[in-house]
Amino acid sequence: MNKKIAVILGDGIGPEVTTQAVRVLEAIAEQHHHHFEYEFGLMGADAIDKTGSPLPEETIEICKRSNAILFGAIGHPKYDNDPNAKVRPEQGLLQLRKSLGLFANIRPINTYPSLQHLSPLKSQQLEGVDFIIFRELTGGIYFGEKEINAEQTLASDKCVYSREEIERITHLAFQYARIRKKKVTLVDKANVLETSRLWRKVVQDIALQYADVQTEYMFVDNAAMQIIINPKQFDVVLTENMFGDIISDEASVLSGSLGLLPSASVGGNTALFEPIHGSYPQAAGKDIANPVGSILSSAMMLDYFGMHAEAESVREAVNWTLQNGFVTKDIDPVNFYFTSTIGELVCDYIANKIPGVVNKANIELRKSTII
Ligand code: IPM
Ligand code: MN
């Protein structure tokens, strides 16, 4: 199969982790006789430095003519610490999501037995955790009218949702639940917010069309607690934009590291795949960031292309690295491997180049000695 992939390296560790994901896609292409063509676009702080805009028109064009987009990370401390900045890197990603109509952000959360000791939670809470967050991505407080008065003493962000915006992602979540454990949990704040009450109404209506799926409603404050004390109860978690942003970072703690988690944003003619982590500027350029979130995002892209066996082989390769202790510094601060070594091992595994008995001594040579 031939596919065109737009690649946006972005800021901080984005370029390093995305480079490994592209390498893995190339290993898959070779093994399964596909042809992937890449076109690179700028976005974020990198794009502001080079063009003055966080999302140059050319990047939107590149994305529109691609079958899918692989994106790294966005953000730079010089903007985080300057609340007066008029142009911000994050605007690039928000505009891209909006202009491509990517209204559903899908974030799977699972745990790895070999990493359970890393989670602050007890392993009995973690076994069998397997849920997926459907986060609405183009509405809510992120996109409502924003105001600040001239004296800079009063500011507001409006939270707006239409029935139609809620309906389209709700259908996706229910359809997905049907091929999983048949349960949808709507996370909202319907005891306080009007938008949340609309979410509840719409979800209640739509749930009638999916009688085989169990529907549950949970306030976001309680959900934040339930994710920690009993994460096994969840199957498909459906929520609005900002609640989804917050609870997905929280849920990453279950896996062991934010660096492990992938995501897919769908809804328009093309889809965007990105790890859920940020730009982690302190680690940029050191070859120590975890590429697994990005590599697993490329596996989600393969699934989106209908290449399910290929996606599975990426996941199997990643599992193999994790099980054998080939992990980055966020996972093991003492015995850790470089970002590029993990990418190389995943590729070698896909290409069947890993011998039955791994000669760890050879790989040890590529282990980092910086502690
Ligand atoms: C995410 C990020 C973004 C968001 C930022 C970078 C705009 O945190 O994808 O989760 O809040 O959506
Ligand atoms: Mn986030």
Side-chain angles (χ1 to χ4, degrees), residues 74 90 93-94 97 107 135 137 142 241 245 274 276:
I74 209 157
E90 290 80 3
L93 181 58
L94 299 178
R97 288 170 177 168
R107 299 184 162 186
R135 167 191 176 195
L137 208 54
Y142 270 57
N241 203 343
D245 180 45
E274 56 169 316
I276 82 163

Side-chain angles (χ1 to χ4, degrees), residues 63-288:
C63 292
K64 283 190 174 156
R65 57 175 178 255
S66 300
N67 298 105
I69 306 151
L70 185 65
F71 164 60
I74 209 157
H76 191 284
K78 73 180 174 205
Y79 301 94
D80 297 344
N81 300 328
D82 177 10
N84 291 319
K86 287 274 168 294
V87 183
R88 315 188 67 84
E90 290 80 3
Q91 290 163 345
L93 181 58
L94 299 178
Q95 274 169 29
L96 187 69
R97 288 170 177 168
K98 194 79 171 175
S99 54
L100 298 178
L102 303 171
F103 63 81
N105 183 222
I106 303 170
R107 299 184 162 186
I109 309 288
N110 44 30
T111 57
Y112 299 90
S114 58
L115 302 182
Q116 276 175 9
H117 61 284
L118 292 168
S119 171
L121 305 184
K122 296 195 187 74
S123 57
Q124 81 240 32
Q125 272 146 291
L126 296 171
E127 267 150 36
V129 167
D130 174 19
F131 65 93
I132 189 153
I133 300 173
F134 273 67
R135 167 191 176 195
E136 203 290 327
L137 208 54
T138 52
I141 199 164
Y142 270 57
F143 290 93
E145 200 182 310
K146 298 179 188 311
E147 277 180 331
I148 184 153
N149 66 355
E151 299 77 35
Q152 306 229 328
T153 53
L154 193 70
S156 66
D157 297 276
K158 202 166 176 189
C159 183
V160 184
Y161 267 110
S162 69
R163 175 170 270 270
E164 195 249 324
E165 282 173 316
I166 302 168
E167 276 171 356
R168 59 190 184 181
I169 187 170
T170 301
H171 279 293
L172 277 190
F174 273 92
Q175 281 155 15
Y176 213 80
R178 273 198 167 148
I179 54 166
R180 290 179 50 97
K181 293 176 273 175
K182 297 191 166 54
K183 181 174 168 185
V184 170
T185 306
L186 172 68
V187 168
D188 65 21
K189 189 74 186 170
N191 50 347
V192 177
L193 302 177
E194 207 55 61
T195 43
S196 282
R197 285 191 277 272
L198 182 60
W199 271 84
R200 248 184 220 217
K201 244 179 260 168
V202 173
V203 171
Q204 278 166 1
D205 288 350
I206 290 178
L208 300 173
Q209 300 170 38
Y210 299 86
D212 53 329
V213 177
Q214 183 194 341
T215 314
E216 211 179 64
Y217 303 90
M218 200 179 273
F219 297 141
V220 63
D221 46 354
N222 183 27
M225 181 174 72
Q226 296 295 330
I227 283 172
I228 301 298
I229 60 175
N230 182 14
K232 255 175 279 193
Q233 69 183 290
F234 297 109
D235 178 21
V236 173
V237 173
L238 169 64
T239 192
E240 61 96 70
N241 203 343
M242 190 156 74
F243 296 158
D245 180 45
I246 298 168
I247 64 168
S248 54
D249 271 30
E250 184 197 9
S252 76
V253 173
L254 306 171
S255 302
S257 169
L258 187 60
L260 293 167
L261 295 182
S263 86
S265 301
V266 302
N269 295 327
T270 183
L272 180 141
F273 299 83
E274 56 169 316
I276 82 163
H277 61 68
S279 60
Y280 191 16
Q282 306 87 319
K286 295 186 181 155
D287 204 17
I288 57 169

